[in-house]
Amino acid sequence: MLVLSIHVLGSVDWEPEWLGLDKYQLIEFLSCSDLKVKDEVELWWATIKWLTTTVHDDRAKHLENNLRDVLHYIRFPMMTAEQIYSIENGQLAKDFPTLLQPYLMAAYKYHALPLSMRGSVAEFKVRTFLVPFLACRLKYSVVFFKCIELFSC
């Protein structure tokens, strides 16, 4: 099981390993149902750090494609409306509105509708909206085993 502490995402010691992941490792990490984070938005900010790092020049060249590839794995509906709003007003959303807006608007819609109506909305029956309830991503854990060594998803 992968367990990720919120403190690790900002850790200077672990950051080189996070930034050193290739795109497919990042996607595997983001799609892992055993991943535990305090808050989904923290994982978003860590992903932004991965996408925009200057350590790997090729990422800057392929930012739009990399963003397109990882967006599906970010669980925007599990963020608060305030967190979604902060993402919407961030630079990445301003630079790539056509990529981010559908995800952000769906997350806002998810928050706006009562639980009784969400089940009848087709777009809410996809993985992004269902997995967090079935997995254990909503709990906070202070234990962390290096992701690179334990990719066991």
Side-chain angles (χ1 to χ4, degrees):
M1 175 183 346
L2 285 177
V3 183
L4 181 63
S5 167
I6 188 65
H7 302 293
V8 172
L9 287 176
S11 166
V12 174
D13 295 334
W14 192 65
E15 188 170 305
E17 291 184 50
W18 175 258
L19 297 178
L21 294 173
D22 68 35
K23 179 170 60 174
Y24 301 103
Q25 289 173 316
L26 177 67
I27 288 171
E28 184 174 349
F29 187 82
L30 294 174
S31 65
C32 182
S33 64
D34 288 337
L35 179 62
K36 293 182 183 181
V37 292
K38 175 185 176 191
D39 206 330
E40 215 48 51
V41 76
E42 295 298 331
L43 194 55
W44 167 253
W45 296 127
T47 302
I48 294 305
K49 196 178 266 191
W50 183 91
L51 287 164
T52 59
T53 184
T54 57
V55 175
H56 302 280
D57 294 336
D58 60 320
R59 284 198 199 144
K61 295 175 192 171
H62 304 289
L63 177 60
E64 185 173 358
N65 288 333
N66 288 336
L67 179 61
R68 182 180 290 110
D69 292 343
V70 301
L71 273 175
H72 175 71
Y73 300 98
I74 303 297
R75 293 174 177 98
F76 293 104
M78 300 305 108
M79 298 177 194
T80 66
E82 292 82 7
Q83 292 167 338
I84 298 164
Y85 183 76
S86 71
I87 292 168
E88 182 180 20
N89 287 296
Q91 191 59 48
L92 212 57
K94 292 175 183 172
D95 292 343
F96 302 102
T98 56
L99 288 179
L100 276 149
Q101 286 303 315
Y103 292 95
L104 299 177
M105 292 304 111
Y108 280 134
K109 184 177 179 180
Y110 182 81
H111 285 284
L113 290 174
L115 184 59
S116 61
M117 290 182 67
R118 290 180 194 161
S120 63
V121 178
E123 67 187 299
F124 297 158
K125 295 179 183 178
V126 296
R127 183 182 173 279
T128 304
F129 293 88
L130 298 175
V131 169
F133 295 113
L134 304 174
C136 47
R137 286 184 81 154
L138 301 178
K139 296 285 184 183
Y140 176 73
S141 178
V142 295
V143 180
F144 173 71
F145 300 100
K146 287 189 176 183
C147 167
I148 305 304
E149 296 171 3
L150 295 178
F151 258 120
S152 60
C153 294

